[in-house]
Amino acid sequence: MKRLAALSAILILGSPTLALAAEHSAGYRGIGMLYFTFMAAILIYGVYDSFGKKAMYVAAPIILVGLYLMLPAN
């Protein structure tokens, strides 16, 4: 139970950092990174489910780099 409380405290207190929150005129990079993180997890799992572990090791970096390059620049 202590681990769950500590984990939830870290997530709550670190959520602005995880979202890359900045000043008011920041833009959409933080929410975009969260969106692309969920998208990458789903795509990588789909590759793993369809083609296996070896293909996942090859496709995961390609998916991550491709989604990172699609983020909007500030």
Side-chain angles (χ1 to χ4, degrees):
M1 197 58 147
K2 289 182 183 181
R3 289 183 189 170
L4 180 62
L7 179 65
S8 63
I10 289 171
L11 289 176
I12 290 170
L13 295 175
S15 59
T17 305
L18 293 175
L20 298 176
E23 59 193 38
H24 183 338
S25 63
Y28 295 103
R29 189 169 178 89
I31 193 69
M33 181 153 311
L34 287 173
Y35 176 72
F36 283 134
T37 301
F38 289 125
M39 229 164 75
I42 292 168
L43 287 172
I44 291 170
Y45 178 74
V47 169
Y48 171 74
D49 192 38
S50 298
F51 302 109
K53 192 181 285 189
K54 289 183 182 180
M56 181 193 68
Y57 288 142
V58 173
I62 296 169
I63 291 170
L64 292 174
V65 168
L67 290 176
Y68 180 75
L69 292 175
M70 289 173 49
L71 279 173
N74 284 342

